[in-house]
Amino acid sequence: MAVRIGKSRPRRGVFIGLILAAALALCVVIMVVAKLQERTQADVWRENWGFNTPEPERLERIIAYSGRDHAQYVIARYSEDAMRKMLAGPGWVRIGSSSRDIGSLMEAFIAELQLLHPEDREKIAQRFIRHQPVFDERGYYVFMNEEDGDYLIAVLNPELRTLYVLESRQ
């Protein structure tokens, strides 16, 4: 009886290599499909509120709570071209003399959030202080509310090309 030495090892190595290559290809396919199905923040605002914005260059989620009492505070930064397109869209109101009213709406949002999440009261306050919306009478805003208590406050600072969005969904 002849003993074969060394013949099975190269085949085993090729087989293992093929399995690893197939697994890697499967991971890539899964990641691509997941990315295609991923909804962007602009998609979510469009679906939930009919609020149309271009995709931001940068998005910071400052405060985010999911679940039954969904709430978030997001800061989005845009290119000059995207800012022009956004301002050309419907619904924007010049802040003008409404700065104080908008500030009050934002304070009410923070107070509500602190009531819903008392364990994070200080954290919420600190995050809002560190990332306070910057706006004046030359900016724009959109306020949307629904009968069930859901609302969205969006404040746009064209000079900084920045959008501040506070959203509460019960």
Side-chain angles (χ1 to χ4, degrees):
M1 177 173 189
V3 177
R4 292 185 176 179
I5 299 177
K7 288 265 183 179
S8 65
R9 285 203 173 169
R11 286 185 184 158
R12 188 179 305 153
V14 169
F15 182 69
I16 290 172
L18 288 174
I19 289 175
L20 290 174
L24 180 62
L26 181 61
C27 287
V28 168
V29 168
I30 289 170
M31 287 175 22
V32 167
V33 169
K35 185 69 176 166
L36 290 174
Q37 292 178 341
E38 184 178 285
R39 293 183 340 169
T40 66
Q41 185 62 61
D43 293 334
V44 172
W45 287 331
R46 194 173 303 110
E47 290 169 18
N48 290 346
W49 299 99
F51 178 56
N52 291 311
T53 65
E55 287 303 318
E57 288 182 334
R58 194 168 128 222
L59 184 82
E60 285 181 85
R61 206 170 305 283
I62 307 303
I63 298 171
Y65 289 98
S66 58
R68 190 178 63 100
D69 296 316
H70 168 82
Q72 68 176 354
Y73 170 36
V74 174
I75 299 175
R77 303 197 196 295
Y78 294 90
S79 67
E80 286 184 39
D81 186 49
M83 183 60 56
R84 276 192 295 277
K85 287 178 184 174
M86 195 168 8
L87 277 171
W92 292 107
V93 177
R94 173 77 76 170
I95 290 175
S97 62
S98 301
S99 282
R100 190 169 274 140
D101 296 334
I102 293 166
S104 295
L105 287 171
M106 291 179 169
E107 287 173 12
F109 172 85
I110 297 302
E112 176 185 317
L113 206 52
Q114 289 173 322
L115 283 174
L116 291 171
H117 304 280
E119 69 283 3
D120 292 337
R121 185 176 189 79
E122 187 60 30
K123 181 175 84 172
I124 292 166
Q126 290 304 313
R127 286 195 179 169
F128 196 73
I129 288 168
R130 275 197 307 269
H131 302 280
Q132 198 161 5
V134 177
F135 63 92
D136 60 22
E137 66 278 349
R138 295 171 294 182
Y140 297 86
Y141 75 98
V142 169
F143 177 70
M144 300 176 178
N145 62 341
E146 298 177 349
E147 290 179 12
D148 62 0
D150 295 353
Y151 63 91
L152 176 131
I153 306 163
V155 177
L156 186 62
N157 184 326
E159 289 177 24
L160 297 177
R161 297 187 337 241
T162 303
L163 175 66
Y164 306 91
V165 179
L166 296 91
E167 178 182 14
S168 177
R169 297 186 67 81
Q170 309 300 311

